[in-house]
Amino acid sequence: MASSLSSLSSILNQPHCALRLKLQRPCCFTLRFLNWRPEKSSFRCYHHHQPTPRPQRRSLGPHFSRSFSQSNPNLSSLPNQSEGPSLRFFVAQAALTTSEAQPQNVTATEVSEVPPMGRIYHETYGCQMNINDMEIVLSIMKNAGYSEVVDVPENAEVIFINTCAIRDNAEQKVWQRLNYFWFLKRHWKSNVKIGRSQSKRPPKVVVLGCMAERLKDKILDADKMVDVVCGPDAYRDLPRLLEDVDYGQKGINTLLSLEETYADISPVRIAKNSISAFVSVMRGCNNMCSFCIVPFTRGRERSRPVESIVREVAELWEEGVKEVTLLGQNVNSYNDASEYEKEVETGTNWRYSEGFSSMCKVKKVGSRFADLLDRLSTEFPEMRFRYTSPHPKDFPDELLYIMRDRPNVCKSIHLPAQTGSSTVLERMRRGYSREAYLDLVQKIRRIIPDVGISSDFICGFCGETEEEHADTLSLVKAVGYDMAYMFAYSMREKTHAHRNYVDDVPEKVKQRRLTELIEAFRESTGQCYDSQVGTTQLILVEGPNKRAPDTELIGKSDRGHRVSFANVLLPHRDADSNEERNPVVGDYVEVRILKSTRASLFGEAVAISKLSLFYDNVEEEAVACGSRS
């Protein structure tokens, strides 16, 4: 017996071994040895300035703890008794009672294989950041052994639903899907019997993202509908949370972080063989607009190191990606201060757009968004770069000049206005007035003449009058947006508006104002599309036009307009021979715009080209025209 215990102790000291214990009587237990793989990244969670919590220790089950404590009075002296004794404690106790133990009751089996992990199904709601988050989750799960992804929830053992809490409508869609996933869990056996489901066991349902953070208690209490709730900063903890479910526990981690950016994780791209991709450069938001829940669900701003972003973009280029959209809740307030240890004077070298302010002061100044764009556009001259979603306060002149001078930085700016009324902007705590916003639009168009501008608008914010609504309509007509996201206001808990204002605009009034806003937008956006007729645009081919898949291709222009054109043989600007070929997905094609439908463009393809070649020709033509005049 002593030799057996000695061997057991030596096994315990091995770094890659774990044990599962199964109690059969109060004093006798069986040891089963399992393979164990160390996690590739440690779990870290932060909540404001609280110390990092330690991961929960796996429960051994209520029957196990109760039976062992009845026969071991020394357990009462253990520290942290609520977590249960460690395995080394069991070995020590067994060594002290060798005369009482029965040798035949302690056995060690051979190492067995870990059962295969479950298949994953995922759905994502909300913004592009949620799409990128889901790609990060898939990478974490793949490293944990969950390598297979299925197309339908009926075939999955793990169901992820990545949520959005910005508007009530998005949350209602999530609740509808959760009801269906609950049905798959509750009626799993009958679904398998009739062939409706092919999952090997009842699926575990996991809620991710902003809604998980905002409604965690309500979600977990919803009649065993959800097994795991995981916030945006806790995705590394997902494998452990799923293991907790196997032991009868609910898995929950919604702590926000001051540091987590997932910079070391290479996302698993959802869209295979795609020529465009999203790259997250910063997370969180410090603006604290009165209507917005993001600072409470995504936490404070923190930026990825420049080098990690460059590395990820380089990997995408090697995979054939031609266009990258840089993401952040407030992307142009990017501030990589990772190489700066010294704190600087508040606001030093941090210039906002003229007439704009912020409630949150910058404590450390590092590489700004213009620096990041400069680096990326220089190192990847044949790759297009877009970015979303910015805040109007963070458009210093340097950023605008970078956009003007670099042909691979798209001439498209998302400039959220939210409203055209200065009084409503003040209640929204946006940090600018209508006049400051219009001045910024004029400056942008003066520096980048052919820029496309898009925006966000909210109808029916607290206390909005008909006169204030009219100000928004007039702003839309004055600016002339290429595209806009428009929504009726819905109150969000925890926000400044929820604490201080009353949602007093009737729903019918909100919907009527939203309809009027959409009509005003359609009038102005048509003019933006019409202005492109007669120009030649460089189009990145995305695939067949769904309306005529056999004869037409479709892609995006620099300004983000959808352009379709006939799929015909074309010459190649960069080819030595005169051979022609049909364009394929990922090609840049010169297209002469012939027609506008005020929502899309149609043109005639001229040649297959490259970014550098196309814009060199444009500059040469501009110089030639100038010399003739």
Side-chain angles (χ1 to χ4, degrees):
M1 177 62 185
S3 61
S4 298
L5 290 171
S6 176
S7 300
L8 180 59
S9 297
S10 65
I11 292 172
L12 285 174
N13 291 323
Q14 297 301 315
H16 302 302
C17 179
L19 302 177
R20 177 176 293 173
L21 295 99
K22 182 178 180 182
L23 186 67
Q24 298 182 352
R25 293 187 186 86
C27 294
C28 302
F29 53 92
T30 302
L31 300 177
R32 293 176 57 199
F33 291 75
L34 300 174
N35 280 337
W36 175 75
R37 293 177 297 177
E39 293 181 344
K40 294 190 177 182
S41 58
S42 60
F43 163 63
R44 295 183 301 166
C45 240
Y46 304 87
H47 189 204
H48 300 292
H49 297 286
Q50 296 179 8
T52 305
R54 297 177 62 183
Q56 295 179 0
R57 192 174 297 170
R58 183 188 297 177
S59 170
L60 298 175
H63 176 68
F64 186 104
S65 302
R66 182 171 59 251
S67 299
F68 196 89
S69 61
Q70 289 173 353
S71 59
N72 290 272
N74 291 333
L75 271 178
S76 59
S77 62
L78 282 172
N80 235 355
Q81 183 179 348
S82 60
E83 293 187 357
S86 69
L87 182 58
R88 297 182 186 278
F89 173 81
F90 289 120
V91 176
Q93 289 295 312
L96 291 174
T97 58
T98 53
S99 59
E100 300 176 5
Q102 299 178 10
Q104 64 271 21
N105 289 328
V106 180
T107 61
T109 63
E110 296 181 357
V111 176
S112 61
E113 294 294 329
V114 175
M117 298 297 185
R119 295 167 294 182
I120 290 175
Y121 170 79
H122 60 86
E123 289 183 4
T124 296
Y125 297 86
C127 61
Q128 293 96 331
M129 179 65 80
N130 276 9
I131 296 174
N132 183 253
D133 276 5
M134 193 67 246
E135 294 176 334
I136 290 171
V137 167
L138 292 178
S139 179
I140 292 171
M141 299 305 296
K142 182 178 181 180
N143 290 337
Y146 296 80
S147 57
E148 186 176 357
V149 178
V150 295
D151 296 328
V152 293
E154 292 81 5
N155 294 348
E157 284 74 45
V158 180
I159 298 175
F160 288 117
I161 181 164
N162 200 4
T163 62
C164 176
I166 299 300
R167 289 172 296 277
D168 182 67
N169 186 47
E171 289 189 357
Q172 294 308 315
K173 290 180 180 177
V174 170
W175 282 114
Q176 291 173 7
R177 292 302 285 162
L178 287 177
N179 277 317
Y180 179 66
F181 298 152
W182 174 84
F183 163 78
L184 292 180
K185 288 177 54 173
R186 188 179 181 103
H187 301 282
W188 172 70
K189 287 185 178 180
S190 58
N191 286 334
V192 170
K193 187 175 181 180
I194 64 175
R196 183 191 184 105
S197 175
Q198 286 78 45
S199 60
K200 297 176 182 178
R201 52 186 176 271
K204 301 173 186 175
V205 178
V206 184
V207 174
L208 306 173
C210 298
M211 191 172 164
E213 167 62 31
R214 195 179 86 83
L215 297 172
K216 49 185 175 288
D217 295 330
K218 183 178 179 181
I219 292 171
L220 284 175
D221 291 341
D223 194 22
K224 299 182 180 180
M225 185 180 290
V226 174
D227 301 290
V228 173
V229 174
C230 187
D233 292 344
Y235 296 146
R236 295 181 192 269
D237 199 30
L238 276 168
R240 183 191 68 84
L241 295 174
L242 286 167
E243 284 188 6
D244 285 348
V245 176
D246 292 332
Y247 290 86
Q249 301 179 18
K250 290 280 188 180
I252 180 170
N253 188 344
T254 58
L255 295 180
L256 296 177
S257 169
L258 293 175
E259 297 182 3
E260 182 62 84
T261 62
Y262 302 108
D264 60 321
I265 294 177
S266 297
V268 173
R269 302 298 167 185
I270 294 174
K272 304 299 182 184
N273 301 319
S274 176
I275 45 88
S276 61
F278 299 118
V279 173
S280 174
V281 303
M282 59 87 66
R283 302 176 72 85
C285 182
N286 293 345
N287 290 323
M288 303 301 291
C289 300
S290 63
F291 57 83
C292 188
I293 192 67
V294 167
F296 303 97
T297 60
R298 290 278 184 175
R300 304 298 295 273
E301 290 178 7
R302 61 271 190 202
S303 300
R304 284 178 62 179
V306 171
E307 294 301 329
S308 73
I309 299 169
V310 173
R311 183 172 60 252
E312 183 175 343
V313 172
E315 292 172 356
L316 291 171
W317 175 253
E318 292 297 323
E319 295 171 6
V321 170
K322 297 291 186 69
E323 181 178 282
V324 163
T325 301
L326 306 177
L327 296 179
Q329 268 79 33
N330 193 25
V331 67
N332 57 335
S333 63
Y334 175 86
N335 177 25
D336 174 23
S338 59
E339 298 180 0
Y340 297 79
E341 296 182 358
K342 182 180 177 181
E343 291 193 5
V344 300
E345 184 179 347
T346 300
T348 301
N349 296 325
W350 192 271
R351 293 181 295 279
Y352 294 119
S353 308
E354 188 174 351
F356 289 71
S357 62
S358 175
M359 296 178 60
C360 184
K361 304 304 179 183
V362 179
K363 295 182 179 179
K364 293 184 179 180
V365 176
S367 297
R368 293 197 63 174
F369 190 62
D371 302 317
L372 176 63
L373 268 185
D374 180 38
R375 172 82 179 272
L376 292 173
S377 59
T378 301
E379 293 198 19
F380 307 95
E382 295 298 327
M383 177 180 276
R384 261 185 181 171
F385 292 96
R386 303 182 187 274
Y387 59 90
T388 195
S389 177
H391 191 285
K393 69 179 175 60
D394 289 309
F395 277 97
D397 291 354
E398 307 93 274
L399 175 56
L400 298 177
Y401 288 127
I402 287 287
M403 294 186 65
R404 181 195 68 182
D405 297 337
R406 301 296 165 82
N408 57 336
V409 178
C410 292
K411 310 303 182 282
S412 176
I413 292 178
H414 191 63
L415 203 66
Q418 306 302 352
T419 178
S421 166
S422 292
T423 53
V424 176
L425 285 168
E426 185 176 356
R427 291 201 297 275
M428 288 181 168
R429 304 206 299 184
R430 292 288 290 172
Y432 55 88
S433 65
R434 172 193 175 95
E435 292 71 26
Y437 183 90
L438 285 171
D439 288 344
L440 177 60
V441 170
Q442 292 177 3
K443 177 196 277 191
I444 290 172
R445 286 190 165 145
R446 185 172 64 250
I447 296 175
I448 314 171
D450 193 36
V451 69
I453 298 179
S454 56
S455 192
D456 296 335
F457 288 97
I458 297 174
C459 287
F461 184 68
C462 305
E464 184 186 64
T465 64
E466 290 297 332
E467 291 76 15
E468 291 168 336
H469 170 63
D471 287 341
T472 300
L473 299 180
S474 65
L475 180 74
V476 169
K477 296 175 182 178
V479 174
Y481 295 100
D482 288 49
M483 190 271 291
Y485 298 102
M486 296 162 282
F487 306 98
Y489 174 67
S490 58
M491 180 77 80
R492 303 284 85 190
E493 295 178 3
K494 296 185 179 180
T495 61
H496 177 82
H498 184 258
R499 295 191 301 269
N500 295 276
Y501 302 146
V502 177
D503 186 8
D504 53 359
V505 179
E507 188 62 30
K508 288 185 178 180
V509 175
K510 289 180 182 179
Q511 294 303 321
R512 188 256 301 167
R513 292 178 183 175
L514 179 60
T515 300
E516 293 174 355
L517 181 60
I518 293 173
E519 291 174 354
F521 164 75
R522 285 175 176 168
E523 292 177 8
S524 65
T525 192
Q527 300 172 9
C528 295
Y529 279 85
D530 291 345
S531 68
Q532 301 298 294
V533 175
T535 65
T536 299
Q537 302 291 327
L538 189 66
I539 308 303
L540 177 60
V541 180
E542 296 179 339
N545 184 359
K546 293 181 179 179
R547 295 184 178 180
D550 297 328
T551 59
E552 292 183 9
L553 295 172
I554 194 167
K556 277 191 299 189
S557 69
D558 186 283
R559 285 178 60 160
H561 295 155
R562 294 284 178 183
V563 180
S564 58
F565 54 93
N567 185 1
V568 296
L569 292 172
L570 296 175
H572 198 301
R573 297 288 193 199
D574 196 31
D576 296 332
S577 65
N578 294 323
E579 292 184 5
E580 297 183 339
R581 68 173 176 85
N582 290 82
V584 296
V585 173
D587 278 340
Y588 286 107
V589 178
E590 297 178 19
V591 178
R592 186 180 297 110
I593 306 301
L594 303 177
K595 184 174 64 175
S596 164
T597 66
R598 298 202 151 204
S600 62
L601 300 170
F602 182 83
E604 176 188 16
V606 177
I608 299 170
S609 187
K610 295 171 64 177
L611 267 170
S612 54
L613 285 173
F614 176 77
Y615 288 104
D616 286 345
N617 291 337
V618 170
E619 290 179 3
E620 289 175 2
E621 291 176 3
V623 171
C625 291
S627 62
R628 286 197 297 269
S629 61

